[in-house]
Amino acid sequence: MEQRIPLYERRPDGGAVQRGEVRCTGQGMYVRFQADCPAWSPRPEVCKVWLEQGERRLLLGTLMPEGDRLTLSRQRSAGELSRWGVPDPERALVTGDTPPPKAAQWQQLDALPLRFREESLAEALRRAPAGGQWRAEGEGYLLRFPWQPGQAFPLPALFCFGRYREGALWFRLTGQGYPVSP
């Protein structure tokens, strides 16, 4: 099974810009990661790629120049990913030689600074159960809701866009408030 996760460059001002993606392909007990993005300028002299899941991160490797692109191909065992707390990475970050700063802090859902163009989504969030949280991520937002199978789904309008992990449902939104496929 193949999954694609966004590859962001963490800027010195704390913001992030999506530069490409990382393909994650399960191969038995291993996962093959292949990062690819156009080269950009200015960029750090050494571009380290970190996998992130929630608050956990693991150094994947260094992007290498190939013509006008930057690439990385690496294989990790599924056991190693689990031990580091990133069995199902949500995103990848490019930094210089130093590790990325901690991710933005989670905030209560009622503080989400976003006006939705789709009224049905705005209404669904108003009716969402307590405990929903958000944080800025890249050029969009990440939402999470505590949830266990068998409970009522907190956002029926976003059913196809959710991922279940770590006892919660996770959703990505663009900066304009549109859901992003997992």
Side-chain angles (χ1 to χ4, degrees):
M1 181 169 101
E2 182 175 289
Q3 173 187 357
R4 295 173 186 264
I5 58 174
L7 176 67
Y8 293 102
E9 175 198 11
R10 180 74 68 175
R11 296 188 315 223
D13 66 3
V17 176
Q18 186 168 351
R19 295 294 185 183
E21 66 182 15
V22 178
R23 287 185 305 158
C24 314
T25 308
Q27 299 174 336
M29 295 177 10
Y30 296 92
V31 179
R32 165 73 56 195
F33 296 95
Q34 294 177 292
D36 182 59
C37 61
W40 70 91
S41 184
R43 67 175 183 270
E45 191 171 312
V46 176
C47 295
K48 300 286 188 180
V49 176
W50 300 78
L51 298 175
E52 283 196 343
Q53 181 176 340
E55 303 298 321
R56 308 271 180 139
R57 56 178 63 106
L58 171 66
L59 178 61
L60 183 60
T62 304
L63 288 170
M64 300 301 293
E66 290 187 16
D68 63 346
R69 307 202 58 83
L70 298 173
T71 64
L72 167 66
S73 182
R74 189 70 28 111
Q75 181 173 289
R76 298 280 187 167
S77 74
E80 178 185 14
L81 296 172
S82 290
R83 281 191 301 279
W84 280 92
V86 292
D88 190 18
E90 302 161 349
R91 68 194 154 277
L93 292 177
V94 175
T95 66
D97 283 328
T98 58
K102 289 211 176 256
Q105 296 299 309
W106 289 99
Q107 299 182 44
Q108 294 303 312
L109 196 58
D110 58 0
L112 183 63
L114 186 59
R115 299 234 187 272
F116 295 97
R117 294 182 182 182
E118 297 291 329
E119 183 56 36
S120 61
L121 183 54
E123 181 62 26
L125 286 171
R126 280 192 289 274
R127 294 179 182 212
Q133 296 179 313
W134 71 274
R135 75 173 181 207
E137 181 175 279
E139 296 175 357
Y141 301 94
L142 185 63
L143 309 179
R144 72 177 177 190
F145 295 87
W147 185 80
Q148 294 296 324
Q151 293 179 330
F153 199 82
L155 293 172
L158 294 178
F159 178 79
C160 295
F161 298 100
R163 294 178 74 185
Y164 177 71
R165 181 174 51 249
E166 302 169 6
L169 287 169
W170 300 71
F171 303 91
R172 285 187 195 289
L173 301 176
T174 66
Q176 293 78 38
Y178 292 108
V180 177
S181 293

